[in-house]
Amino acid sequence: MRKKIVAGNWKMNMNLQDGIALAKELNETLTAEKPNCGVIICTPFIHLASIAQFLNQDVIGLGAENCADKEKGAYTGEVSAEMVKSTGAQYVIIGHSERRGYYNETPEILKEKVLLALKNGLKVIFCIGESLEEREANKQNEVVKAELEGSVFNLTAEEFKNVIVAYEPIWAIGTGKTATADQAEEIHAYIRSVIADKYGKEVADDTSILYGGSCKASNAPELFAKPDIDGGLIGGASLKVADFKGIIDAR
């Protein structure tokens, strides 16, 4: 049975001291009151090793927000999948729309990142989603299908079991707009059908597909009640324990 997951993506927020304080508070809260779903926090690189030392990873998984598309070498400022793994992290977000948009990450670059992450024993949270223009042109299905085909459908079925898919309508990230629960369910069901066409129904049924896009405690229950929405990838609302726990409790 596929896992229900709520993952936090801190983005470029929280200095080291504040990030450690947030992780400690979340760790204490969820260790005392065990969540009924998987919880992951994906933090800036500089936080990973410090947080890994005290995080109860039976309760909260730890992930990075990105990794390099090269194994090692003269790539100043980059952080490899091996480095991420060496901190104690278990997960990495790849393909977030902000990385695609601001840093011109192509399907080919993302394919390399995915392969290196899996090679180093990391589980991948792979992001897909359409822009407002694409949604208004009713192209969302072909966009998400192309993003899967371009970067993860080269994997074997066995490798793909280490991929969590996160559907993020770009038009709903940080805008306050949210896809309705029915809109989100419709495309989540479509994504699952595309995975089934590629890898078979069993793999598709085992794949966790998360919703990301202005998900908060107020709308999480309605979204999470849908059969093909397995949880959320949460941005701003993951930066305060009370807000994040409100979403976790909805799961």
Side-chain angles (χ1 to χ4, degrees), residues 4 55 62 67 82 149 166 185 192 196 217-218 228:
K4 308 292 187 184
L55 200 68
L62 182 62
C67 68
E82 182 187 9
E149 288 175 342
E185 167 59 22
R192 202 175 304 283
S218 57
D228 288 291

Side-chain angles (χ1 to χ4, degrees), residues 214-251:
S214 298
C215 181
K216 41 196 179 289
S218 57
N219 59 20
E222 189 186 4
L223 286 162
F224 293 172
K226 296 294 184 182
D228 288 291
I229 300 178
D230 302 313
L233 179 60
I234 314 302
S238 69
L239 298 174
K240 290 190 178 149
V241 170
D243 294 347
F244 195 43
K245 187 164 186 305
I247 297 169
I248 292 165
D249 290 346
R251 184 59 278 175

Side-chain angles (χ1 to χ4, degrees), residues 117-131:
L118 296 178
K119 180 182 173 184
N120 284 282
L122 293 166
K123 289 186 164 61
V124 171
I125 300 171
F126 188 74
C127 300
I128 57 177
E130 79 283 358
S131 67

